[in-house]
Amino acid sequence: MARPIWTGTLSFGLLNVPVSLMTGSRSVDLHFRMLDSRSKTPIRYERVNAETGDEVPWKDIVKAFEYKKGSYVVLEKEDLKSAASEGREAVEVEAFVDAASIGPEYYEKPYILVPGKKAEKGYVLLRETLKRTGKIGIARVVIRTREYLSAVMPKDKALILMILRFPQELVDVSEYKIPEGAISHYRIAPKELDMAEKLIESMSGEWKPGDFRDEFRERLQKVIEKRMKSKGLVTPAKDDESDDAPVGTSTNVVDFMALLEKSLASNKRTPAKKAATGGAKSTAKKTAKKAAPSKKAAKKSVRKVVRKAG
């Protein structure tokens, strides 16, 4: 099971629900390494000084903003921390809006909110209320030092936290040449509209994600396997598996009715109390050298790597 990105609270009004933030997507791209064609050995990219050509160790690297060509202002770690939000371990819902009011262009990346121990009541209360009202919560959340705008929405039995793009991240469609005006201006006949509607109706059905596969990836995997049968193989060392991190934090019995009534009376959002952070830094991965396996064993290994790609 995957480790939580962080553990904290989901807060709305005066209610705080301990949760863990889990990734809701994975990359399935096939990743390639760059090799020297002469020796078939990996190419290493180094951090070098642009003037001297000397390699620069990580401890001597600082972050800077280039405010004009060739001119920089250096930022210290304290500067970056000062810009971060204080509620780093909280998904703080600031407002509830109609789910249909947010355009698809704002949605970016999904995460799954998992309730902590003894936090199921508050979790289910919010989930079912959102379903009944057709609303979603707009919240701010800090992930790895950066603050994001997000939407908390119900999906079957889970609460999904969807990262949203800020308006300034979007390109206004007016910057492009988009057809405007009445359809008669483009000489579209009523009969053509009717035929187009019938075509769409004939192709309509239920959304079944499992019916769609990454066919390019599957074909590329077959190409790789074919190459493996005729060429030498190099396989990565197997990573050690570690124990799963504890999910969520425990909480005492809460009088939800009293908190709901108090939230309605004050009509204000109270910042969530800080919860104990979970998910300690993952331990360093151990690697071990292995001799080149047989073609049959290597084929199984590559298939396993492909499934875990990304």
Side-chain angles (χ1 to χ4, degrees), residues 46-57:
E46 299 179 342
R47 303 168 301 278
V48 297
N49 187 301
E51 293 184 0
T52 65
D54 297 332
E55 185 174 359
V56 182

Side-chain angles (χ1 to χ4, degrees), residues 269-287:
R269 177 184 57 77
T270 301
K273 295 180 181 178
K274 283 208 168 184
T277 57
K281 293 182 179 178
S282 58
T283 57
K285 294 182 178 179
K286 300 178 182 178
T287 57

